[in-house]
Each structure stands twice: as C-alpha cells, then as structure tokens.
C-alpha cells in the first residue's frame, strides 16, 4: 500500500489570539506569507496515514469579560489523539471534550483537568464500541466528581460536558448536563440537542446521569462547535455564518464578535480534504521549534476512579498543544467507485423535469390571474396599484419556494440512492470476507448507513430491508437471539420510566415508576401480563402525597412484596427518599407507609430487594447494603447486623443493582464498570470471568460495559439470572453458577436497539416475556 508520511505542524493566525492546529502533509513546505510565529510541535511524532481524505483543524477561543486570553491551556477543553497503549479499537479514535464546572474557572482549573484526564484515560482503555467507551468514561468521571462533592469539599461543583470522537468519516457525540454543540453542514446548522431535554441532570449531583448520544457522517467543509453553555440563549441562526462555508480563522473572529464583552470558552473543528494554501516552512532556520508543555495549574490532584486497574496511558494535553490528525478508513474499491456518471445524469434529468414542470405551473398561474383580473378600464378611468404590486411580489416568492423545494428533494433522493448502492456493496463484500472481523465491519457499516438514510428519508422500505438483512447476519455471527418487540403503552412526552415490577401470577398487574413526574402507575393485566385490561393506567402514588403522618418524597425504586408471616397481604412496595417504605395493596386499593430506622445515614440509595421478608437497600453513596428485619407491618434494624459485609471491599460505590437468591440468600451485584459478582455470605462465589470463559461452541462473548439491572427469574434450582447491559444493547442470560446460557437483543419500532436505551426490565418465564421500560414507553419482548 502506498503510504504518505505526515508531519504535525502548528501555526497561529496573524492577530495571535486564536491558537489553531492542523494536520499538514510533509512533502509541501512553501513559504508562509500570511503566518506569524510558525512553530513545530515536537511532542507529536510523525506517523503514516493511508492516503489523504479528511484533515481535522482545531481552534480554541478563551474570552473573559470581552478580553481574549493569551494562554496555551484553556481550562475544560481537551483534544486528544490515541495513546500508544490504547485498548483494542481505540487506536483510530480522536477525542474532543468541553467540560464546564460551576464556579470561576480559576478555582476549578485543577479539578477540570483531573476530570478531563479521567475521561481520556477511561475512554482509551475501554474496548468495544465508541458509544460504550464514551458512556463508561462519562459515568465514571461523574462518579469521581460526585465523590469529590460528598467527601468534604468546601464547595460542591456541578458540571456539564460534551464529548466528541472522530473515527474515519464519522463523528460520535455524547452529552451530559446543560450543554450543547453545533454541527455545520453545507445545508444548514444542526443544534445538539435539537430541543431542550425533558430532564437535565448535571454531573456531580447524582450517580444517575442522563447521557445523550448523537452520530454524524462528515463531509469536507463540515464544522463542529463545542459551545460554552453561556451561549445557549443565542438562536441557531446566529451561528450560520460561523459554521457554513467559513474557514476556521474567520469563524473564531465571528465568535469573538458574538461573545462581545461576555465570557466563553469554545472549541471549533473544521474538516477538509484539501491541502492548505500555505504551510509553515519547518526546515527554515528562522522558524524555531517551540515546545508547548502540557502544564497543569498547581493544586491537589484527585485520586483516580477505582475499579479496573489504570493502564499506562499518555496524559491528556491542552488543546493548543494537540493537532488532530485524521486517519481515513479506506473502503474497498468496489464500494468507493460509485457510478458517478449515472448519478450526474439522473440529477440533470431531475433538474430538467423540474424546470419544465415549473414553467407549466407559471403559465397556468398567469392564465389564472388573467381570468381573475377584471376587464380593462376605460380610457381615463382610475385603476388601483395594490393588486398588481402584491402579485408582483407573490409570484417570485412562489417560484423561489418551488425551485428550492425541488432542489432539496432532488438532493435527498440522489443521496439516498447512493447510500442504498453502498449498502448493497457492503453486503456483497461481507459475504466474500475471509475473516469474521472483516465480515462484522461490513455489516456494521450497513447499519450505520441505514441510520443515516433514515434521517434523510424516513420509512424507506428498501433501506429497512437491507438493515434487517445485515442485522440478521450480524446476530448469527455474534450468537444473538433477537426478540420480537411490541409496545404496550406510551406515556405523554416528559415521562421518564426508570423502574418496573410485576404483580403476582394469579392477578397480574404491571407497576411502573416515573422518575420525572415522581409517580407510580399500575396497569391491570390478565395473568399472562400481555393483555392490558384497562385503557389507561391507574395513578397509585405520587410525590408530596400524605400517607398517614408521612409526606412522600422522591421515589427511588419499587418491588413486589408478597404476603408472609409479618404481613398478610401482597403489595407493591416503593422506597421513599424521606426514609420510608410506602406500600400499595391492590386488594383494597389502600396505601400505607412505615418509617425505616437510620434513614438519616443514607447517602444515595439506588435499589431495593427482599429475602425472607427482610428488606435490603443498596446505598452506593455510603457503600452499604442496609438490612431491615420485618416486624409486623414495619421494620427494625439491628446495630450489629444493620448491613451486609463481604470478605473484600465489595466496591459498593460502583454497584448499580442487586438481586438475592431466595434459596440461600446469596447476593448478586451488577457494577457500572462491567463486573458481575455473586456472594454467599461474605465469600465471593464467582464473578463475570465465569461466563466469559464458559466452555461453549458459540461465538466469543463480548464483555459487559456498564450493566444497569440484574434480576433472578424462576423458582429453586430452575432459577436463572438476567443482566441488562445498555452499553452493548444486550440482555444476558446466565445460570445460577455463572455459566453463559444466551444473550438477547431487541429492535424497537424505529429500527433502533431497544436494550441500548432501556432503564429497567422484568422477566416472566414459561414462555419467556421480557417487559422493558425505555424513555416514556412500556414494551414487551417475546421469542419468535
């Protein structure tokens, strides 16, 4: 393969206010007539790049009270290339980040740099998909900030972050907190998120974080702006001149004028496939090499996040000391060589037909106006000028709108046709692939192209057919069983369903927790749970309700509490952050609340379960599993046995959910970093390595990235374990001994992976029924 060597060279524009770095080809070194203070970045070595497709240019802007700051390191901004010892699949990824913390930047600079280092290290040490690595990096960094806030910090800090990863022609974006960004296309500016999310949880406030993901295909001339939240009041159209058809130098000047006398920190990216018109002469003696050390403000460094051992990765560097090289992914010749002549001929025919149709429409409109116009006035008779003037204005406007609509529609049709052709070529190449990894990559490419085509032309049946074909082949390669999904009920916009529990098998019933509205709903069903017997759910509990002498607070989690020696009725129990367990009894429709001791010691309770009529509360904030003993309708707590203890630390600060086996009381813990453990007493019985190394003829099992829920279904020795891992979009099916039994995926009505955005699930077996809550919708998934 013919490889060109690239050299990273940086330069500053003439006014020396906006640092810019750019990937430039080494063979071209003309004299830079418009460049001031050229410099070489010695910290980044030369490396090969397979051809020249796109180059990434980065520029930063740091303004305080209207004054540009002449600094090489901007607090909260990061542009990072892959380190030499990155995890598998991360070596081609380039990471950008914009982190905002509450408080003056001078006071939060050290903390911001620590958090950016954490994001960089965690992202590059996590294998798998880009979104999974971003999710883990943001979740663990949020945990680090939360730990800083609850560990006696003088001032609690909350944050917002936008992370972007450049891989080939694709840009993956993840956001958390009150932040936003812009993507500049040749047809307009796209705001991310397009609308205000119904719920925004800042970083550092709670372990439960709402992460928004976006994906874009890049073209030469596209731009990306990681904006400061202080600019959120500006409309999207204010950024048109900055991100459409502009060069990065002019964009930074325009941004400076928009910011005016305010303060802001922004990071701008420009993507191009052409060599620059001028390049600093790195070989000239006058162009002295200037080293830009990756310095950090002085201060106390936070300890790194616990969990997986840290790998020896390169630290994150300031934006000005990084140039972002673009490593293109070469497609096979059969994919790259599109039939350009056919596309151009089709475009010309479409334009000609549109022009003919427009001329006919204009002639018809002129005839219509002539018929509607009154007879010609007699000589000397006064005629008004208002109607002719209005017609003279309306006709050009109508023609302009019609022409614009035709051209936009023509562009979409041509682009979708190109995408469909590329999808067919990738399917053909996948069948001819010689390795499993190569075959998978072609199918992944088909799915990504289908998502892009869906955004241009929703509901295209041919695109959906190709998507289903690729998905079926990919499931076979990965050993996936795909479930059939059916929506059961959709709640109004703004609802956020986070927990689900099933009633008993005799009476049925599905109970849901809406975290956004702080409410609990009940759906009446038959004994199969599949058929809703009422049109709308029943509201059984909401925040601020008064139950006896207790005022309901924030509702955290719910579970089905069967009758026993202490209680005589079945009920749905809900944990209340005000220190009570509120129970709804379906037989009489009444609600009762009991206080729980030592509730003032709770830090961050996240889940509840029961065993032998005892109540167990997983509190990741205090790293405890609180244990309450049933006593009549209430509970007591024993100082000597108030929490579960394990032989090792248990790492409960990273635990996301727990389940307890009804036969021996063993505890199964799912961790946000991908671990799964089963404890019997204080002894570790097995961990996730048990099912990853299971002796099976199925394809290699992909490790979990960030499981969020674990359930035990069945009775006695026939019980089995289900684990939800949204990062990989799977539901894992394990035996009690930790052996791998299978894995499930499901596609929602829009063609997207349902488990990737699921918050919780419940399982009913014989036959298998999986009930899932995602956003504002209740789904059921069954086997074919």
């Amino acid at each position: 393969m013919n490889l060109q060597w690239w050299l990273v060279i940086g330069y500053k524009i003439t006014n020396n206010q906006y640092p810019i770095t750019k990937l430039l080809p080494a063979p071209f070194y003309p004299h830079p007539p418009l460049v001031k203070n050229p410099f070489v970045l010695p910290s980044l070595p030369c490396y090969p790049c397979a051809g020249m497709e796109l180059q990434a240019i980065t520029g930063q802007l740091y303004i305080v009270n209207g004054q540009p700051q002449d600094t090489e390191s901007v607090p909260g901004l990061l542009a990072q290339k892959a380190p030499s010892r990155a995890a598998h699949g991360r070596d081609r990824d380039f990471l950008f980040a914009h982190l905002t913390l509450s408080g003056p930047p001078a006071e939060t600079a050290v903390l911001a740099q620590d958090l950016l280092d954490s994001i960089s290290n965690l992202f590059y040490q996590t294998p798998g998909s880009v979104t999974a690595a971003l999710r883990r990096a943001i979740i663990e960094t949020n945990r680090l900030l939360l730990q800083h806030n609850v560990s006696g910090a003088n001032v609690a800090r909350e944050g917002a972050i936008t992370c972007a990863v450049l891989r080939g022609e694709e840009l993956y974006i993840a956001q958390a907190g009150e932040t936003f960004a812009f993507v500049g296309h040749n047809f307009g500016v796209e705001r991310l998120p397009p609308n205000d999310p119904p719920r925004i949880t800042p970083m550092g406030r709670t372990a439960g974080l709402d992460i928004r993901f976006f994906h874009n295909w890049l073209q030469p001339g596209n731009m990306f702006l990681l904006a400061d939240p202080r600019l959120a009041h500006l409309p999207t159209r204010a950024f048109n001149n900055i991100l459409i058809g502009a060069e990065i130098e002019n964009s930074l000047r325009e941004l400076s004028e928009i910011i005016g006398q305010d303060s802001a920190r922004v990071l701008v990216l420009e993507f191009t496939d052409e060599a620059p018109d001028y390049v600093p002469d790195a070989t000239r003696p006058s162009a002295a090499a200037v080293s830009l050390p990756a310095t950090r403000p002085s201060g106390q460094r936070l300890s790194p996040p616990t969990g997986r051992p840290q790998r020896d990765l390169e630290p994150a560097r300031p934006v000005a000391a990084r140039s972002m090289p673009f490593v293109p992914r070469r497609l096979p010749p059969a994919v790259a060589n599109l039939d350009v002549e056919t596309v151009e001929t089709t475009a010309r025919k479409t334009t000609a037909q549109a022009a003919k149709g427009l001329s006919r429409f204009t002639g018809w409109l002129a005839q219509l106006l002539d018929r509607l116009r009154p007879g010609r006035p007699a000589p000397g008779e006064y005629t008004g000028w208002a109607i002719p003037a209005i017609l003279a204005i309306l006709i050009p406007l109508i023609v302009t709108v019609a022409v614009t609509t035709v051209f936009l529609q023509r562009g979409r049709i041509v682009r979708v046709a190109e995408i469909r052709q590329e999808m067919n070529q990738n399917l053909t190449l996948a069948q001819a692939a010689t390795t499993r990894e190569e075959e998978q990559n072609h199918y992944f490419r088909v799915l990504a192209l289908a998502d892009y085509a869906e955004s241009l032309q929703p509901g295209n049946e041919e695109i959906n057919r190709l998507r289903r074909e690729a998905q079926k082949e990919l499931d076979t390669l990965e050993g996936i069983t795909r479930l059939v999904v059916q929506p059961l009920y959709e709640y109004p916009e703004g609802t956020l369903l986070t927990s689900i529990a099933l009633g008993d098998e005799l009476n049925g019933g599905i109970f849901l927790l809406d975290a956004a509205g702080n409410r609990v709903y009940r759906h009446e069903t038959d004994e199969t749970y599949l058929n809703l017997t009422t049109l709308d759910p029943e509201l059984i509990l909401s925040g601020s309700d008064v139950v006896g002498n207790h005022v309901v607070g924030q509702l955290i989690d719910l579970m089905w509490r069967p009758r026993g020696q202490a209680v005589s009725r079945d009920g749905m129990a809900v944990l209340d952050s005000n220190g009570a367990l509120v129970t709804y009894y379906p037989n009489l429709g009444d609600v009762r609340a009991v206080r729980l001791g030592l509730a003032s010691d709770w830090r961050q309770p996240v889940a509840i379960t029961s065993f032998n009529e005892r109540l167990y509360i997983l509190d990741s904030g205090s790293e405890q599993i609180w244990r309450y003993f049933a006593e009549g309708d209430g509970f007591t707590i024993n100082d000597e046995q108030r929490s579960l203890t394990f032989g090792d630390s248990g790492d409960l600060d990273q635990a996301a959910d727990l389940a307890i086996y009804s036969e021996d009381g063993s505890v199964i813990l799912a961790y946000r970093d991908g671990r799964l453990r089963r404890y019997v007493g204080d002894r570790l019985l097995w961990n996730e390595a048990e099912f990853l190394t299971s002796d099976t003829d199925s394809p290699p099992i992909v490790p979990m990235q960030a499981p969020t829920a674990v359930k035990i279904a069945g009775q006695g020795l026939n019980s089995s374990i289900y684990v939800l891992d949204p990062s990989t979009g799977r539901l894992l099916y394990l035996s009690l001994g930790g052996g791998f039994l299978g894995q499930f995926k499901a596609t929602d009505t829009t063609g997207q992976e349902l488990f990737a955005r699921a918050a919780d699930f419940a399982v009913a077996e014989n036959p298998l029924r999986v009930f899932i809550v995602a956003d504002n919708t209740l789904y059921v998934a069954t086997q074919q």
Side-chain angles (χ1 to χ4, degrees):
M1 183 180 294
N2 183 21
L3 298 179
Q4 295 181 354
W5 285 89
W6 299 79
L7 178 65
V8 177
I9 298 177
Y11 59 89
K12 295 185 179 179
I13 63 177
T14 305
N15 61 11
N16 201 25
Q17 291 183 355
Y18 314 113
I20 300 175
T21 57
K22 190 168 188 175
L23 177 67
L24 305 177
F28 306 98
Y29 292 113
H31 180 68
L34 301 178
V35 177
K36 178 181 179 182
N37 297 335
F39 57 92
V40 179
L41 300 178
S43 59
L44 298 180
C46 298
Y47 51 90
C49 177
M52 177 177 177
E53 290 188 356
L54 287 180
Q55 302 177 43
I57 309 173
T58 64
Q60 66 183 24
L61 187 62
Y62 184 22
I63 294 180
V64 178
N65 297 327
Q67 298 298 320
Q69 304 298 302
D70 188 10
T71 176
E72 301 294 353
S73 177
V74 179
L77 298 189
L78 171 69
Q80 172 78 39
K81 76 167 188 176
S84 58
R85 298 183 60 186
H88 178 68
R90 296 277 81 83
D91 53 331
R92 297 175 53 247
D93 296 343
F94 301 93
L95 176 64
F96 308 90
H98 186 298
L99 173 65
T100 302
L101 295 178
S102 58
E107 298 179 5
T108 60
V110 176
L111 178 60
Q113 187 62 44
D114 286 334
L115 297 177
L116 289 177
D117 287 346
S118 171
I119 287 178
S120 175
N121 291 338
L122 288 167
F123 175 76
Y124 282 115
Q125 77 177 19
T126 303
S129 66
V130 174
T131 54
L134 282 175
R135 183 189 298 273
R136 177 176 181 250
I138 293 176
I139 288 176
E140 289 299 323
T141 304
N142 174 67
R143 189 196 62 77
L144 184 63
L145 180 58
L146 181 63
Q147 180 180 350
H148 166 77
N149 290 338
V150 301
S151 61
N154 295 331
V155 180
R157 304 293 185 187
E158 294 183 348
I161 191 167
T162 294
C163 290
V165 174
L166 175 64
R167 170 183 281 190
E169 300 168 309
E170 301 173 76
L171 188 68
Y172 298 84
I173 304 157
Q175 295 178 333
E178 193 170 354
T179 183
F180 72 108
F182 294 99
V183 180
H185 304 279
N186 55 1
F187 54 83
V189 175
E190 179 183 4
R191 188 185 185 109
L192 304 176
N195 301 308
D196 292 336
R199 177 183 179 186
I200 298 179
T201 303
M203 296 179 64
R205 177 180 295 180
T206 177
L209 201 60
D210 301 315
I211 304 178
R212 308 180 293 274
F213 289 98
F214 306 94
H215 175 265
N216 275 272
W217 288 94
L218 298 176
Q219 294 180 351
N222 289 166
M223 301 189 73
F224 183 57
L225 171 63
L226 290 84
D228 195 298
R230 287 171 288 192
L231 303 179
H233 65 282
L234 297 175
T236 303
R237 62 178 180 272
F239 298 88
N240 288 348
N241 295 334
I242 298 173
L243 299 177
I244 301 178
E247 295 184 354
I248 193 168
E249 296 90 340
N250 298 329
S251 298
L252 292 172
R253 294 190 183 96
E254 291 278 351
L255 278 170
S256 178
E257 295 177 2
I258 288 179
I259 296 171
Q261 299 303 312
D262 294 330
S263 301
R265 296 172 295 112
V266 299
L267 180 62
V268 185
L269 308 179
E270 179 185 354
F271 307 99
T272 177
D273 63 347
E274 298 178 355
D277 296 333
Y278 57 89
V279 180
D281 188 353
T283 63
R284 292 172 55 90
S286 59
V290 179
S291 175
L292 299 178
T295 58
R296 67 163 49 246
S298 60
Q300 184 66 32
R301 181 179 179 88
L302 290 176
S303 59
T306 58
R308 289 185 179 177
Q310 295 285 321
R311 299 177 65 174
D312 185 14
L313 300 177
E314 297 178 4
R317 297 177 183 270
V319 173
R322 280 286 184 201
S323 76
M324 289 294 103
F326 179 84
V327 181
R329 175 178 50 171
R330 283 291 189 184
L331 294 177
V335 180
N337 297 329
L338 294 177
D339 192 353
V340 179
E341 181 179 354
T342 302
V343 175
E344 292 179 350
T345 302
T346 305
R348 284 194 292 269
K349 289 181 179 179
T350 304
T351 305
Q353 294 173 358
K356 291 180 181 179
L358 184 61
S359 65
R360 297 191 189 99
F361 171 75
T362 306
W364 172 82
L365 184 62
Q367 293 178 1
L368 176 64
L369 294 175
D370 186 66
R371 293 176 182 176
L372 295 177
R373 187 179 65 179
R376 296 182 180 274
E381 183 180 352
Y382 171 77
T383 58
W385 55 269
I387 293 179
I390 294 174
L391 294 178
I393 295 173
L394 288 179
I395 291 176
L397 289 177
I398 294 174
V399 172
T400 302
V401 171
V403 171
T404 303
T405 303
V406 169
F407 272 90
L408 289 177
Q409 185 64 23
R410 188 259 307 174
R412 292 192 185 97
I413 293 174
V414 171
R415 182 57 182 145
V416 171
E418 294 173 350
I419 294 173
R420 185 169 62 247
Q421 182 180 2
E422 187 174 352
M423 293 172 68
N424 278 306
Q425 290 169 340
N426 272 273
L427 288 174
T428 302
L429 291 171
Q431 295 174 0
T434 56
T435 64
R436 181 175 179 272
E437 183 178 1
E438 182 183 358
E439 186 177 1
Q440 281 182 314
N441 289 337
H442 286 302
Y443 289 133
F444 284 137
R445 177 71 171 169
V446 173
L447 296 180
L449 289 170
D451 292 339
Y452 182 34
E454 183 71 20
S455 66
L456 296 177
Q457 192 179 67
N460 188 299
E461 182 57 34
E462 180 64 16
I463 296 293
N464 291 334
R465 184 188 66 80
L466 295 175
R467 185 211 300 268
R468 290 192 296 268
E469 183 178 346
Q471 189 65 75
K472 180 179 178 181
E473 297 295 335
L474 197 59
D475 289 343
T476 302
L477 284 175
E478 297 179 346
I480 298 292
T481 301
R482 190 157 292 270
L483 302 177
V484 179
V485 174
Q486 176 186 353
L488 286 182
Y489 192 86
E490 182 176 354
Y491 285 80
E493 290 293 335
T495 304
L496 184 62
L497 303 176
T498 57
S499 186
I500 180 174
L502 304 179
D504 59 39
E505 297 180 355
L506 295 178
N507 300 314
I510 303 176
F511 298 83
L512 307 176
L513 172 59
D514 171 21
N518 200 27
R519 303 182 181 96
V520 176
Y521 295 96
R522 176 198 180 194
H523 288 274
E524 294 186 13
T525 69
D526 58 10
E527 64 277 3
T528 67
Y529 306 105
L530 296 175
N531 302 307
L532 304 182
T533 58
T534 57
L535 294 177
D536 295 312
E538 174 189 1
L539 176 63
I540 62 175
L541 186 64
S542 61
S544 302
D545 283 356
V546 179
V547 181
N549 60 355
H550 174 74
V551 179
V552 178
Q554 184 66 37
L555 303 176
I556 299 172
D557 194 18
L558 50 79
M559 68 173 187
W560 181 255
R561 187 185 181 193
R563 71 186 70 182
Q565 296 180 356
V567 290
S568 58
R569 295 187 293 168
D570 300 328
M572 179 55 58
V574 186
L575 183 64
D576 177 11
S577 63
N578 285 347
L581 188 72
V582 185
T583 304
Y584 167 80
Y585 296 100
N587 63 338
L588 298 179
D590 57 322
V591 180
R592 297 187 181 183
V594 293
R595 294 277 186 174
L596 300 176
L598 296 181
S600 59
D601 292 342
W602 297 354
R603 285 290 190 87
Q604 189 180 351
V606 295
I608 60 173
T609 189
S610 64
F611 165 70
N612 198 20
E613 298 192 59
R614 302 168 188 167
L615 173 66
Y616 294 84
I617 302 176
L618 172 60
D619 185 358
S620 60
S622 63
E623 302 184 36
Q624 301 277 348
I625 298 180
W626 303 99
R627 174 168 49 192
Y628 293 87
F629 295 88
E631 187 176 85
D633 291 336
F635 292 90
T636 62
I637 188 167
N638 189 329
D639 290 339
E640 297 180 356
Q641 299 179 346
R642 67 181 194 175
S643 63
L644 299 182
T645 58
F646 304 107
D648 53 10
S649 62
D651 293 335
L652 296 180
D653 58 326
Q654 301 183 49
D657 197 12
L658 82 163
I660 298 181
Y661 180 41
S662 59
E663 296 297 321
D664 59 5
S666 58
V667 179
I668 300 172
L669 291 171
Y671 295 85
R672 287 185 289 269
D673 59 2
R675 289 177 294 165
L676 185 71
R677 294 179 175 180
R678 181 183 178 187
Y679 289 94
V680 177
D682 60 353
R683 180 174 58 91
L684 176 63
L685 186 60
W686 53 259
N687 57 21
E688 69 282 354
E690 185 71 25
F691 69 86
L692 292 177
T693 57
S694 296
D695 184 13
T696 176
D697 295 332
S698 61
I701 304 170
V702 178
M704 294 186 297
Q705 299 295 331
T708 58
V710 57
K711 311 286 184 182
I712 298 178
Q715 299 291 331
L717 297 178
N718 295 323
S719 300
S720 50
I721 302 170
Y722 295 85
V723 186
L724 174 64
D725 184 23
S727 298
T728 58
R730 297 178 300 166
L731 182 69
L732 277 77
Y733 176 36
L734 310 175
S735 68
L736 285 174
F740 177 78
L741 299 178
Q743 50 188 340
F744 302 102
K745 284 189 176 182
T747 306
D748 61 15
T749 54
T750 64
Q752 305 300 315
E753 292 292 348
L754 177 58
F755 289 129
R757 58 186 184 89
D760 195 16
F761 73 100
V763 176
E765 293 186 321
N766 298 322
L768 178 65
R769 291 146 289 162
V770 183
F771 299 87
I772 308 112
V773 288
D775 300 329
N776 64 331
T777 307
L778 168 65
Y779 299 90
V780 60
T782 57
Q783 288 182 298
Q784 294 181 349

